[in-house]
Amino acid sequence: MAISQTSKTAFLRQIVADIEAEKIGIPIFQRSYVWTEDKVIDLFDSINKGYPIGAIVLWGKDGEPMKRREFLSDDILEEKANVYYVLDGRQRLTTFFGCISKNPQKLDIFKLAYNIKEDTFEYPAKSEYPTKDSDFLIQISDIFDTFTLIGILQDLSVKYQGSEKSLNVFLNNAKRLNSKLQEYQIVQIMLDYCDLDEANIVFSRINSKGTKIKKAEMLQAVNYQDGLQLLADEIQQIQESLAIYNFDRLSQDDILNCFFKFVNKDFYSMTFKDMESLDLISHLEDVKDTVIRTVEFLYKDCGVVDIKLLPYSRQFILLTFFFKEHKNPDAYDRRELRKWFYYTTYNTLFQNSSLANIRRIAKRFDAFVNMDKSTPIEYNKIVFNAEYNFRLSLQSARSKYLILAMLNRYKKLSNTYNGIAFEGLVKFGGANSENYFAITSPKDKEFLTNIFTSSACPLEFSSRRIQKFGLSKNMLYNFSVDKEAYRRERWSLFYEIEKELWDDIKY
């Protein structure tokens, strides 16, 4: 059934009534409340001045209802039928609802007041000794509640009897804001017959940063179990355990994809609807163990010393399939996996992200996992290209092969595979590859800056030290006097170290 979309203008007070009646909820995957005091003040100032504050989008989930968050506390609430979930507008609705709420336990950020004397919004100073102007600070919750406001204004009229002219201006400010809060309307867009996958697409397209909901956050909204941690929190703990390998920024969705092999599903064809009934939490410890062993393999055997150097996340996911079935692979298997990793990287085999391409690679890899094939892919001879007329980039698998080859050469020069880090890339000169350098510490950048900006003769620098960066004294000389000769010599070195890496891996 196609998504049904309807739009209507609604009073904010009616939306508040729907929130109180639990007709509108916050899905678990929505981020927590993050607004600052300035943004809260801006929202009410806009309402007071009649400025638009934007539409809200409400999602009528297709299928079974799911857990939701309480508006003010973020506590997880039970499923409830006929609930619309907030896809866009969570921060605005929570702000308005929180500030007009009479709940004495609400957060301080919702204790906004209106200064009827100055016609401004502000937070009351936290002092035991209120000033005279404190009389003119009225909580937004009291402004919104017409009966409470009438009582406050009557008390002020009695207290300041004799100064009716100026007082009337202040009292009228309060009455005017009460009317604005009661009569303010916004556009409410309702999406019906919308499943999880469609809701994710809608969310990403209306989100200001184009951010998609993480799969783990979406799933925890539909299969949360009381007493258990949220799936996204569990996965975050796995991320944190990878910090020693500099892999703690591995995405939650990539880790989630590793779960699917444990429930006999294929990560590349799963939809949210397929996932709703899956029991993933019971496999948590096995997944954590598999992920750690996979990352350890990438770090120690393949030299991927930072998540930034992982060419494709799909390589990681497929490798976890192997380590799920083979906890202690022998030397032959480890060599084949290294070879597969670098072969698929150099040939950018995951560049074509079509489902047919991924299925073909994954099916062949599975045959190796199941010991039906002796290699994880059908290898063809790599013909190395001696042209490097491209910009090194951490977004490119081809660039990452070259960077990993540089680090491999450095490891051999250092006679150690321990303690090698990756700080990033630095550039001296134009945008082509020959002007980029992989650095392993801030001192590297300092050293390179010195040799490329120093007036000293290149012969004065240590040959062994500059070798680490794929340089020679002759290159340094040509960098200043013959850029084309410098380029040819450095490209020749790139070609040498790329072939050297492949030769180290395949034998």
Side-chain angles (χ1 to χ4, degrees), residues 168-367:
N168 284 338
V169 174
F170 307 156
L171 301 186
N172 286 334
N173 283 340
K175 295 173 184 176
R176 178 174 47 79
L177 179 59
N178 168 268
S179 178
K180 290 282 183 68
L181 296 178
Q182 292 289 337
E183 301 303 319
Y184 194 87
Q185 300 180 65
I186 62 172
V187 174
Q188 190 172 258
I189 300 170
M190 323 282 283
L191 303 178
D192 287 296
Y193 309 112
C194 182
D195 65 23
L196 287 169
D197 294 281
E198 293 165 328
N200 191 21
I201 293 169
V202 172
F203 180 88
S204 67
R205 292 184 180 178
I206 61 179
N207 184 283
S208 61
K209 297 181 180 178
T211 305
K212 286 190 175 182
I213 308 165
K214 294 173 184 174
K215 290 180 183 177
E217 293 175 342
M218 182 68 92
L219 282 180
Q220 71 189 13
V222 296
N223 60 17
Y224 172 79
Q225 298 176 42
D226 291 334
L228 293 179
Q229 277 191 274
L230 295 174
L231 180 61
D233 293 341
E234 298 280 9
I235 291 178
Q236 184 178 346
Q237 289 184 15
I238 295 177
Q239 288 176 298
E240 292 168 358
S241 72
L242 303 177
I244 59 172
Y245 303 110
N246 303 312
F247 263 70
D248 46 316
R249 282 170 293 171
L250 184 68
S251 81
Q252 289 203 359
D253 283 354
D254 288 337
I255 295 174
L256 179 66
N257 282 327
C258 301
F259 279 83
F260 299 139
K261 202 65 172 179
F262 285 81
V263 290
N264 299 312
K265 301 291 183 181
D266 293 318
F267 76 95
Y268 46 80
S269 58
M270 291 289 290
T271 67
F272 283 122
K273 194 170 185 62
D274 297 328
M275 301 176 201
E276 285 194 56
S277 60
L278 297 180
D279 174 19
L280 301 182
I281 290 290
S282 64
H283 298 286
L284 185 66
E285 289 305 314
D286 288 334
V287 169
K288 180 178 180 180
D289 175 67
T290 300
V291 166
I292 290 175
R293 283 187 291 110
T294 304
V295 169
E296 185 178 48
F297 167 79
L298 286 166
Y299 184 91
K300 293 182 177 179
D301 290 52
C302 300
V304 185
V305 296
D306 194 293
I307 181 64
K308 290 179 286 190
L309 297 177
L310 180 67
Y312 299 106
S313 62
R314 289 186 171 111
Q315 289 171 313
F316 162 78
I317 295 164
L318 290 178
L319 284 169
T320 63
F321 293 178
F322 178 88
F323 284 97
K324 170 187 177 290
E325 302 297 335
H326 306 280
K327 297 188 183 300
N328 298 295
D330 59 21
Y332 174 85
D333 283 342
R334 298 184 82 90
R335 187 193 72 199
E336 283 301 318
L337 292 176
R338 284 197 303 272
K339 187 177 176 182
W340 173 86
F341 172 79
Y342 276 106
Y343 183 85
T344 57
T345 297
Y346 187 85
N347 290 295
T348 62
L349 293 188
F350 289 91
Q351 197 72 38
N352 175 4
S353 59
S354 72
L355 183 58
N357 181 58
I358 301 305
R359 183 183 285 115
R360 175 180 56 80
I361 296 173
K363 184 177 179 180
R364 183 62 177 78
F365 190 86
D366 272 346

